[in-house]
Amino acid sequence: MTASALPKSRRHLILAVLMVCSLLIWLENTVMSTALETLADPVRGLDAGPAALQWATGAYTLAFATLMFTAGALGDRFGHRTVLMAGLVVFAGSSVWAAYAGDPGQLVAARAAMGVGSALIMPANLALLMWTFTGPARSTAIAVSSTSAGVGMAAGPVLAGVLLEHFWWGSVFLVNVPVVVLALTGVALLVPNFRSPVARSLDPAGMLLSTSGLAALAYGLIRAGQVTDWNRADVWAPILLGLLLLAVFVRVEARIKSPSFDPRLLAQRAFGGGNLALGLLLFAVAAITFFNAFYLQGARGYSPMEAGLASLPTALGAVLGAPLGARLARRRPLRLVAVPALTVAALAMGAGGLYGLRTPLAGIEVLLLVQGLSVGMVIGPVTAALISTLPLERAGAGSAVTNTVRQTGSVIGVAVGGTILSLVYRRAMEPSLDGLPAPVREQARVSAEQARHLAATTHRPALGRAADDAFIHALHVGAAWIMLITLAGAAVLLFALRPAPETPAADDAPAGSEEALPEAPGVRRV
């Protein structure tokens, strides 16, 4: 069945179903961030340390990032609806596993399995969207679909807050099951099983290289936050090994005639530069979200519900920003819309360096609103423009490349952000530990959460105040680094979307050349 054979009403229903599937993934991302403080609690949670929490967040994103290009190939071969439904089933089963995990190790494993489910869902979701809609309606559908991110960001923290206020921490994962049932029903009844006429290889070598490379890199970065000596082999060796494996992965994929992950797409200035900028932005978003979860519930002492409500401006901004950015990009060059928005996002994130223990909540809310609005104005229009540069038969591969780069940014963002937080906290905390018993010093060094719990149980209020001060200092340092990284993304986007000389008409371009690809809104190709 082709898109033209589908009635308009059915296409709109398909879009709604695909948005539910996308909403599921965004709900999971935001729900997890709200639950971090509870999972770290020795009494109410799993007594998870900083490294375990980084892995619980990163294992999901790691599996998500590295398996998406394989999932795209599976969709091209067996049908994107088949792969989407399989991903929903895996996601539901692993959510139940996560809900009843008995220790941090089991939670990390369950979260990795959830990442597998998400990896099957996302490329199939976007490919089905591109098969269902054609012409200008496709860009509009992509922009509308991207609003599910904002809805998930809005609903996730509040939903998690309600669940954590009334139930045990596992309920934040168990809530995924009814959403999956709704999505499965809609997919089965409405969505045709589109597939590419050209089946791609599954590329097991590429999957092994990318997964092991990112896992080794993430392990080394997270391990760096647990030790004070970066000269240790268990820090630098995994990082070097990860970079080497990823370099081999790119080289191997570049030599394959029809790779599942095609790095040659990234050689195009607009597509490659735009994806790099989005990767840096998602790096920053993941890191600042990780920081804010501990700031609101830990340093400020808000309940999960209060922290969820405090995060609403970010989601509201994202919901408003995506359509606003798309509307502006139709009237002005994308470069003049996305680059200033990304710069504003960087400054809003860097303003975290002004947060303190008594910062007025209203000021924080304004900054979060600006951050969400500017991020939404970048992600929606830039993603639509990048995907629109690809021919329909490359929908699976192109969406896999885009989403892999973005999720890789999130993996590294959590790893690096958590490591900065741990290192700076530990150094700032050291002067306050002089004269304390050795067991107290060791536990207080682990994290601010551990120090606060220890201060409450041993009646040492000064220790709790010192932990808060050390955490705020670490937050300030981390926010400065996040701002610089996001500004680097804005510079990359400024270069990638710069005006280019006129090119020959598409009819005169050789078959398969870049000029033969459809023009993206606001983007000129070289």
Side-chain angles (χ1 to χ4, degrees):
M1 182 179 292
T2 61
S4 59
L6 293 174
K8 186 177 181 179
S9 59
R10 184 173 175 184
R11 278 182 280 161
H12 289 169
L13 289 173
I14 290 173
L15 175 60
V17 170
L18 296 179
M19 288 181 68
V20 171
C21 297
S22 178
L23 174 65
L24 185 71
I25 294 173
W26 284 99
L27 274 175
E28 177 52 35
N29 287 341
T30 53
V31 161
M32 181 64 189
S33 65
T34 306
L36 288 173
E37 182 74 24
T38 302
L39 290 169
D41 192 280
V43 177
R44 297 181 299 127
L46 290 176
D47 193 19
L53 293 175
Q54 284 174 271
W55 274 116
T57 304
Y60 169 85
T61 316
L62 177 64
F64 195 177
T66 56
L67 295 178
M68 274 194 294
F69 63 86
T70 300
L74 288 171
D76 287 343
R77 175 170 295 195
F78 300 110
H80 294 291
R81 183 184 68 175
T82 300
V83 173
L84 177 60
M85 295 182 73
L88 290 169
V89 171
V90 171
F91 193 91
S94 53
S95 294
V96 175
W97 181 14
Y100 293 100
D103 55 58
Q106 290 183 29
L107 179 62
V108 170
R111 289 277 297 163
M114 293 175 72
V116 173
S118 294
L120 294 172
I121 292 170
M122 184 60 79
N125 191 294
L126 189 51
L128 286 168
L129 198 64
M130 293 186 68
W131 277 102
T132 302
F133 295 90
T134 58
R138 180 182 296 161
S139 295
T140 302
I142 293 174
V144 171
S145 178
S146 67
T147 61
S148 62
V151 175
M153 291 169 61
V158 178
L159 178 62
V162 171
L163 293 172
L164 292 172
E165 288 279 344
H166 298 92
F167 305 100
W168 97 114
W169 59 264
S171 60
V172 301
F173 301 110
L174 209 57
V175 74
N176 293 329
V177 176
V179 182
V180 168
V181 172
L182 176 64
L184 277 172
T185 303
V187 171
L189 294 177
L190 295 168
V191 181
N193 199 24
F194 294 119
R195 71 184 71 193
S196 173
V198 180
R200 291 183 285 136
S201 61
L202 298 183
D203 194 11
M207 183 179 70
L208 179 62
L209 285 169
S210 60
T211 304
S212 56
L214 272 178
L217 179 60
Y219 174 83
L221 292 171
I222 292 174
R223 183 62 179 159
Q226 299 175 267
V227 298
T228 56
D229 184 8
W230 282 52
N231 292 323
R232 293 173 50 142
D234 57 348
V235 172
W236 59 262
I239 293 176
L240 289 180
L241 176 62
L243 293 174
L244 177 62
L245 290 173
L246 290 175
V248 173
F249 164 68
V250 171
R251 187 174 181 84
V252 167
E253 294 296 296
R255 292 186 171 187
I256 298 175
K257 183 178 180 181
S258 300
S260 297
F261 179 96
D262 193 349
R264 288 166 291 202
L265 293 174
L266 296 174
Q268 301 175 21
R269 190 188 69 198
F271 189 83
N275 273 292
L276 177 57
L278 288 178
L280 292 173
L281 174 58
L282 268 293
F283 173 106
V285 169
I288 202 69
T289 300
F290 192 81
F291 288 1
N292 284 341
F294 293 105
Y295 171 69
L296 291 173
Q297 295 185 53
R300 298 299 296 267
Y302 294 143
S303 69
M305 169 64 80
E306 291 169 334
L309 291 173
S311 301
L312 276 179
T314 306
L316 177 62
V319 170
L320 297 175
L324 175 61
R327 189 177 302 111
L328 291 174
R330 286 195 294 269
R331 299 176 180 176
R332 296 176 178 83
L334 180 61
R335 189 180 193 230
L336 298 183
V337 175
V339 174
L342 189 50
T343 303
V344 172
L347 297 176
M349 294 179 192
L354 304 175
Y355 291 177
L357 295 175
R358 293 176 179 81
T359 302
L361 184 58
I364 296 174
E365 301 289 87
V366 171
L367 286 173
L368 292 178
L369 177 63
V370 171
Q371 176 186 314
L373 184 68
S374 52
V375 168
M377 290 179 64
V378 175
I379 292 180
V382 173
T383 300
L386 297 182
I387 294 300
S388 295
T389 63
L390 302 176
L392 187 58
E393 61 270 16
R394 304 304 308 278
S399 63
V401 169
T402 297
N403 283 289
T404 297
V405 171
R406 288 164 57 173
Q407 294 303 321
T408 299
S410 296
V411 172
I412 306 303
V414 171
V416 173
T419 294
I420 291 174
L421 200 63
S422 295
L423 286 174
V424 179
Y425 164 80
R426 194 157 52 236
R427 289 173 183 172
M429 192 67 178
E430 281 297 333
S432 302
L433 301 179
D434 293 340
L436 295 177
V440 173
R441 290 200 306 270
E442 288 304 315
Q443 187 173 347
R445 283 191 189 105
V446 173
S447 67
E449 287 67 40
Q450 293 282 354
R452 293 187 196 103
H453 177 72
L454 190 63
T457 56
T458 60
H459 306 291
R460 301 175 189 267
L463 181 62
R465 290 192 295 271
D468 287 339
D469 291 339
F471 173 83
I472 292 297
H473 175 64
L475 174 65
H476 291 172
V477 174
W481 277 106
I482 290 170
M483 179 182 66
L484 292 175
I485 289 167
T486 312
L487 287 174
V492 170
L493 197 60
L494 182 67
F495 168 79
L497 301 182
R498 77 183 191 276
E502 293 297 328
T503 56
D507 292 339
D508 299 329
S513 71
E514 184 184 3
E515 286 77 8
L517 301 181
E519 187 75 12
V523 178
R524 286 186 177 182
R525 266 183 300 280
V526 180

